Amino acid sequence: MTEQGNGAVLRMIRDGRGVTRADLAAVTGLGRSAVASRLGPLLASGLVVESDDGVSTGGRPAMVLRFNRAAGVLLAADLGATHCRVEVTDLAGEPLAAAADDLDIERGPDAVLGHVLDRTARLLERAGRDARDVAGIGVGLPGPVEHATGRAVSPPIMRGWDGFSVPAAFAGSYAAPVVVDNDVNIMALAEQRRCWPGVRHLLYVKVGTGIGCGIVADGEVYRGAQGAAGDLGHLRVNGYDSVVCRCGNTACLEAVAGGAALAAALRERGLEATGSRDVGRLARGAVPEAVQMVRDAGRLIGEVLAGAVNLLNPEVIVVGGDVADAHEPLLAGIREAVYRRSPPLATQQLRIVRGELGERTGAIGAALLALDGVLSDEAVDRAIAAAAT
Amino acid sequence: MTEQGNGAVLRMIRDGRGVTRADLAAVTGLGRSAVASRLGPLLASGLVVESDDGVSTGGRPAMVLRFNRAAGVLLAADLGATHCRVEVTDLAGEPLAAAADDLDIERGPDAVLGHVLDRTARLLERAGRDARDVAGIGVGLPGPVEHATGRAVSPPIMRGWDGFSVPAAFAGSYAAPVVVDNDVNIMALAEQRRCWPGVRHLLYVKVGTGIGCGIVADGEVYRGAQGAAGDLGHLRVNGYDSVVCRCGNTACLEAVAGGAALAAALRERGLEATGSRDVGRLARGAVPEAVQMVRDAGRLIGEVLAGAVNLLNPEVIVVGGDVADAHEPLLAGIREAVYRRSPPLATQQLRIVRGELGERTGAIGAALLALDGVLSDEAVDRAIAAAAT
DNA sequence: GGAAGTTTCGCCGACGGCTGGCCTAACTTG
DNA sequence: CAAGTTAGGCCAGCCGTCGGCGAAACTTCC
């Protein structure tokens, strides 16, 4: 073990890698008293609690150490193009109170974040907490984000957001650090941490109104130079040069196989479908046109994904989003195309699965991202110092 | 500064970030005596040398610290499909002796590495060094490599190499650690470290007989789950479904725009071209068919690269390889297609340039990779301990 | 040329964090 | 209930680090 700070010890307790003082000494390589000197402040600040329900292995039973997930709360906001989900969670990311409603991101940062602030205040009250309990804030945005500063950058949708600093909007109400990221990035993070903890290379593909992709490379979210990485929706698909995308280009995957495009195609055939959610609903309802259309869309997505598999060689591809909830046909189409187009070495271990976290995916990711900040060595030391006063 | 070990101090001296003891104290944040305690063993082992040519700034002039690049040598081997370049370099990666010859990788690991061992022995002698001076060994292979173990895995070419452990082949002759990687990965590393030190996200595209791509993500070589990342050559290009690739699939970029394919097409038109090198030669010679063909190939490569730009959002794309030496037409085609197909945010900062390191690229990368191992804290401590005996 | 000012660098006492032995507490086992 | 086993607080001793002190090696000014 290289890391041995207060935060590292706390993370080990949380992860179940250190349940007793003896465990921690063994895992960190530190002596017993060094462990005790970390533990002292952690116990005093309430971040870690002891309980005497340890089992004896033939001698005095060890005190069991537990991460006190109730020592603070996280605010998680998942903003989509037309929806807004806000959660107050404990320090393990479990929701204490949640609210989801329709909200058009194009109403601009002031209106949207005003709504979010209003919601968080009410949810905090419902959870019986106040602003001082907030330890971290995570926000997911449906566009490129400069992660270091929390600013939206040149978003293709999200009019009025360009250059807007999200942390600044929270600064007045909460003292906690604010981390902002692209929505698919945090979804990828959520699936990787929650469902595939051992997997270091994962792609999360969101098939909703549009198509996006979050990349986890070497266990970390990969953002690229301008935070624009993972833009799968505007890769070119074969044979659709006449289809014009909202981005101005032609033959973009999203313009052909995105939820909005599929809904439009279904409407042309006389079916009732206003958005991507309806596409999922119809396909789940085994409406033949919808099922076939979703499967065809899966093939196209798979063809593009095959390229991503060649380039990135992931272990797992998680497919989520409204349309993916029509799962089997979509996944079947994706698998078919990926396994046909990618080389054996890259596909022999590759698993292509459906996302398991449902509509909470984004909020979970936002909470996890916030949590990473909260459990860093520096933040833990700050929390300890604050509790001591 | 977070890192403060012996190796970190050594790397700072090498990078010119710490020229005097005072510099090192400032950069590391350590006190003077702590710096001195690192420096003592480094000076004693000969890895760092002092000279008294410091300039006074009004007082006693500081002793100037220099990384002693002559304290050992590195062996760098760049193995391609049909060539083999071996270098003995100093600890800065500057060549002391080099040899390049044609060698078919399909002759198998024993024959090929036997040849490499034979060459290294002769080059060492020419450089006036012996096997005990070898501090690290870097090897580039034209196929997927399990980097942690140095084994070739399921290479599409390289018959007989599957599962072969390259480090084992060197173990008998040299005590130094052996690091093995894919050839394009080390080329990407070479260009990033030597020509684009501030750039954290870079793609190196090699257009030779085949087409490959090395990815530097967040400053590190990205290898993917099975070491198969960056396989650009077998992405699909539009409208070439009748072209069968040696990989068994159709419409692979490499089968359409690779050097071998271009050479074949030129032969069909009655020109003399046996391999990718001839394609470059003819295009440089302004033979109209060759120039046009290379430019068209550039467009196709660019179309595929546009997808990679969307996904990975790099800052720089470096193009190298035999065909790239026909530079302008190829690069023009690539730029044209990438800037047309990729979104503004990803391209506004993107630079697409030709590789500057020429035929030494792979060997430089192999040396740099070996060097990373040699200058790690652990390796430095080992070297110090060894010198003390 | 010499005195004063400036900067480098080795030496050494003080200090703080860590280790591991010792002792007591709290169990199980026979 | 005694013997054996494990947990955890306490403390002496160790090691690495900091920073003051003074010698050394310069420049600058008179």
Side-chain angles (χ1 to χ4, degrees), chain A residues 225-226 230 238 250 311 313 341, chain B residues 225-226 230 238 250 311 313 341:
Chain A
Q226 278 93 30
N238 272 335
T250 59
L311 271 180
N313 186 208
R341 268 314 297 188
Chain B
Q226 278 93 31
N238 273 335
T250 59
L311 271 180
N313 186 207
R341 269 312 297 187

Side-chain angles (χ1 to χ4, degrees), chain A residues 20 23 138 165 215 359:
Chain A
T20 68
D23 288 346
S165 166
I215 300 170
E359 60 179 7

Side-chain angles (χ1 to χ4, degrees), chain B residues 6-43:
Chain B
N6 282 336
V9 169
L10 180 55
R11 287 191 296 275
M12 284 173 198
I13 294 171
R14 179 198 55 167
D15 297 344
R17 282 186 298 157
V19 174
T20 68
R21 286 167 168 81
D23 288 346
L24 287 171
V27 175
T28 58
L30 276 81
R32 296 191 312 278
S33 31
V35 169
S37 73
R38 312 280 138 99
L39 232 34
L42 287 173
L43 288 164

Side-chain angles (χ1 to χ4, degrees), chain B residues 47-358:
Chain B
L47 281 167
V48 172
V49 287
E50 272 183 321
S51 64
D52 52 2
D53 51 355
V55 214
S56 165
T57 57
R60 172 174 167 174
M63 290 296 236
V64 173
L65 301 166
R66 257 189 270 275
F67 174 57
N68 182 14
R69 50 163 69 181
V73 297
L74 303 170
L75 302 182
D78 173 28
L79 299 173
T82 58
H83 76 268
C84 161
R85 184 178 184 90
V86 180
E87 293 191 0
V88 171
T89 77
D90 64 20
L91 292 182
E94 290 306 310
L96 302 172
D101 27 31
D102 290 336
L103 179 65
D104 191 351
I105 196 88
E106 305 248 330
R107 286 177 57 193
D110 293 327
V112 169
L113 293 176
H115 175 90
V116 169
L117 281 168
D118 184 58
R119 276 279 176 281
T120 56
R122 282 207 262 166
L123 291 173
L124 269 177
E125 195 177 357
R126 209 200 299 168
R129 303 300 201 111
D130 69 39
R132 282 164 306 162
D133 294 324
V134 176
I137 301 170
V139 181
L141 248 42
V145 171
E146 189 183 274
H147 183 252
T149 60
R151 287 173 191 278
V153 282
S154 313
I157 58 173
M158 295 173 69
R159 247 192 321 248
W161 285 77
D162 190 20
F164 187 87
S165 165
V166 175
F170 286 89
S173 311
Y174 303 100
V178 182
V179 280
V180 189
D181 209 336
N182 188 301
D183 57 350
V184 277
N185 286 351
I186 58 176
M187 288 171 152
L189 185 72
E191 289 282 348
Q192 190 256 336
R193 294 282 174 84
R194 280 289 167 89
C195 306
W196 303 94
V199 166
R200 298 185 58 76
H201 309 285
L202 174 146
L203 298 183
Y204 180 86
V205 181
K206 181 189 170 196
V207 187
T209 306
I211 296 176
C213 174
I215 300 170
V216 174
D218 271 325
E220 299 283 334
V221 173
Y222 179 80
R223 302 185 174 92
Q226 278 93 31
D231 194 357
L232 199 74
H234 300 280
L235 296 202
R236 184 176 179 180
V237 285
N238 273 335
Y240 289 85
D241 287 346
S242 60
V243 180
V244 178
C245 180
R246 57 178 171 171
C247 77
N249 237 314
T250 59
C252 291
L253 176 63
E254 170 171 316
V256 178
L262 297 182
L266 287 171
R267 277 199 303 277
E268 262 181 33
R269 301 208 187 173
L271 290 159
E272 211 162 300
T274 54
S276 54
R277 229 166 294 178
D278 303 310
V279 177
R281 185 175 44 77
L282 290 171
R284 261 197 313 283
V287 177
E289 288 96 331
V291 172
Q292 196 199 330
M293 195 169 280
V294 165
R295 180 165 188 132
D296 286 343
R299 287 201 191 96
L300 292 172
I301 294 168
E303 238 176 74
V304 171
L305 261 181
V309 168
N310 269 299
L311 271 180
L312 295 169
N313 186 207
E315 293 171 71
V316 174
I317 296 177
V318 179
V319 185
D322 293 338
V323 178
D325 294 342
H327 47 292
E328 275 322 314
L330 187 81
L331 251 74
I334 291 178
R335 287 203 187 96
E336 183 187 321
V338 168
Y339 288 121
R340 187 180 52 213
R341 269 312 297 187
S342 291
L345 179 59
T347 51
Q348 66 192 5
Q349 306 263 16
L350 178 66
R351 275 166 297 187
I352 302 178
V353 301
R354 200 162 76 96
E356 289 173 28
L357 303 173

